[in-house]
Amino acid sequence: MAVGTKTLAPSELDTFEDQRLVEELRKAKEELFNLRFQSATGQLESHGRIRAVKRDIARLYTVIRERELGIRATPAPVEVASKAKKTKAKKADDAAEATKEEAE
């Protein structure tokens, strides 16, 4: 995820774990520091980038605080062993087997 982009939406942040949110916040603060340094030395080309990074920092703080208050749900931990995606046909077969077993 690139910090300071329009793709950093709250819906995308909902999928991040708490530790990743804190890491993204650290990266964003570091980038803001570098942008301010570039601005002070006259090397900054895009001043709008500072505003975008500030907004990303605010979004990250908001999501973290909402999770602390219980307003926003924390994502469920991801299992280490990934399961293969089932196709619709496979799901239908599994459902048919389950109903068949229940009938017996």
Side-chain angles (χ1 to χ4, degrees):
M1 171 192 71
V3 177
T5 62
K6 293 181 181 179
T7 60
L8 184 60
S11 59
E12 182 182 341
L13 293 175
D14 286 339
T15 62
F16 292 174
E17 294 179 5
D18 291 338
Q19 198 170 24
R20 182 165 178 205
L21 284 174
V22 172
E23 180 64 24
E24 293 297 330
L25 181 62
R26 187 195 60 76
K27 287 180 188 176
K29 284 184 171 185
E30 185 178 328
E31 183 176 0
L32 181 61
F33 174 79
N34 290 332
L35 290 172
R36 285 181 173 159
F37 195 82
Q38 288 176 3
S39 178
T41 59
Q43 297 174 351
L44 186 62
E45 295 177 8
S46 174
H47 294 282
R49 185 86 175 122
I50 293 175
R51 184 176 184 187
V53 173
K54 283 183 179 180
R55 286 185 179 198
D56 285 346
I57 291 171
R59 273 190 205 102
L60 289 164
Y61 271 129
T62 301
V63 170
I64 291 169
R65 182 65 179 152
E66 285 178 349
R67 286 187 182 178
E68 288 175 0
L69 296 174
I71 297 171
R72 190 180 297 257
T74 305
V78 179
E79 294 181 18
V80 176
S82 62
K83 297 179 181 178
K85 289 186 178 180
K86 293 184 177 181
T87 61
K88 288 183 181 179
K90 179 72 175 167
K91 288 180 185 177
D93 290 341
D94 291 344
E97 287 179 23
T99 55
K100 187 177 180 181
E101 289 175 4
E102 288 176 9
E104 294 175 355

